[in-house]
Amino acid sequence: DTEVTQTPKHLVMGMTNKKSLKCEQHMGHRAMYWYKQKAKKPPELMFVYSYEKLSINESVPSRFSPECPNSSLLNLHLHALQPEDSALYLCASSQDAGWYGYTFGSGTRLTVV
Amino acid sequence: SQQGEEDPQALSIQEGENATMNCSYKTSINNLQWYRQNSGRGLVHLILIRSNEREKHSGRLRVTLDTSKKSSSLLITASRAADTASYFCATADTTSGTYKYIFGTGTRLKVLA
């Protein structure tokens, strides 16, 4: 299995809702990442997990809460989002949190109304 | 910001022609990677070139790296309509003491059949 699977593919949520994005990989990768991408912009790093521990938080607002329950799974919990949080959310994994290529999922297209 | 800048921002060519896109960055790097992103989808890792390498090939892709000029180029030979996508360089940020990649601004390539 050489894939990173993200669910759901599309999500529409209200500003008072609580929802979660899910990311799964079975490649034995020990580093996992969340990126946010706005239209026609490059991906921006949000969080890095290394060996199931949060190693980087790029000053992301607390309405985004990551969780890594095990080495194969990464969640992003969303609460009280704003319309400007609408974006493509990408999950990626790599062999280790070192200098390796990333495998990306196809993303979750999030719309906050 | 360490974000790399790519040029051109957009490129339109005929099928069969070669496409060249450039990436410039600001700090010392361990390696540089190139990714492709089809519209609204996840990123696909194309090639990684280390700081002690000057040129690397993969199929129709040729990547060069000039660390003295802090620049890299990606050449796609004999382009096809399926190469239509956005292309991003990603540089490994070593300044923070942690491992993270910062994506460049991207080049949108359109290959006309």
Side-chain angles (χ1 to χ4, degrees), chain A residues 9 11 21 35-39 64 82-90 107-112:
Chain A
K9 293 197 183 309
L11 178 63
L21 309 185
Y35 279 84
K36 173 183 176 180
Q37 186 179 27
K38 303 282 268 185
F64 295 91
Q82 302 297 310
E84 58 265 30
D85 296 321
S86 297
L88 180 67
Y89 288 84
L90 295 162
T108 293
R109 175 75 58 190
L110 174 68
T111 303
V112 182

Side-chain angles (χ1 to χ4, degrees), chain A residues 35 37 40-43 45 48 55-56 58 88 90 97-102 104-106 109, chain B residues 3 30-31 33 35 37 40-43 45 48 50 88 92-94 98-101 103-104:
Chain A
Y35 279 84
Q37 186 179 27
K40 297 188 178 181
K41 296 291 187 182
L45 182 65
V48 178
S55 62
I56 296 178
E58 292 286 274
L88 180 67
L90 295 162
W99 309 125
Y100 301 98
Y102 290 1
F104 277 86
S106 56
R109 175 75 58 190
Chain B
Q3 184 176 66
N30 175 283
N31 65 66
Q33 303 185 44
Y35 288 83
Q37 184 177 34
R41 308 276 306 268
L43 283 79
H45 179 256
L48 181 153
R50 302 192 188 285
F88 294 95
D93 180 359
T94 62
T98 59
Y99 297 103
K100 62 181 182 181
Y101 284 96
F103 284 84

Side-chain angles (χ1 to χ4, degrees), chain B residues 25-59:
Chain B
Y25 56 90
K26 296 177 183 176
T27 65
S28 297
I29 61 169
N30 175 283
N31 65 66
L32 183 146
Q33 303 185 44
W34 285 90
Y35 288 83
R36 182 186 75 229
Q37 184 177 34
N38 291 89
S39 181
R41 308 276 306 268
L43 283 79
V44 174
H45 179 256
L46 296 176
I47 201 163
L48 181 153
I49 186 165
R50 302 192 188 285
S51 59
N52 61 354
E53 297 176 309
R54 291 295 167 258
E55 188 171 312
K56 206 160 182 182
H57 296 256
S58 177

Side-chain angles (χ1 to χ4, degrees), chain A residues 39-41, chain B residues 6-13 21 37 83-88 105-111:
Chain A
K40 297 188 178 181
K41 296 291 187 182
Chain B
E6 294 175 63
D7 84 277
Q9 289 186 6
L11 179 61
S12 186
I13 60 173
M21 49 207 91
Q37 184 177 34
D83 294 327
T84 294
S86 291
Y87 291 82
F88 294 95
T105 50
T107 293
R108 292 189 304 280
L109 173 66
K110 189 169 186 177
V111 181

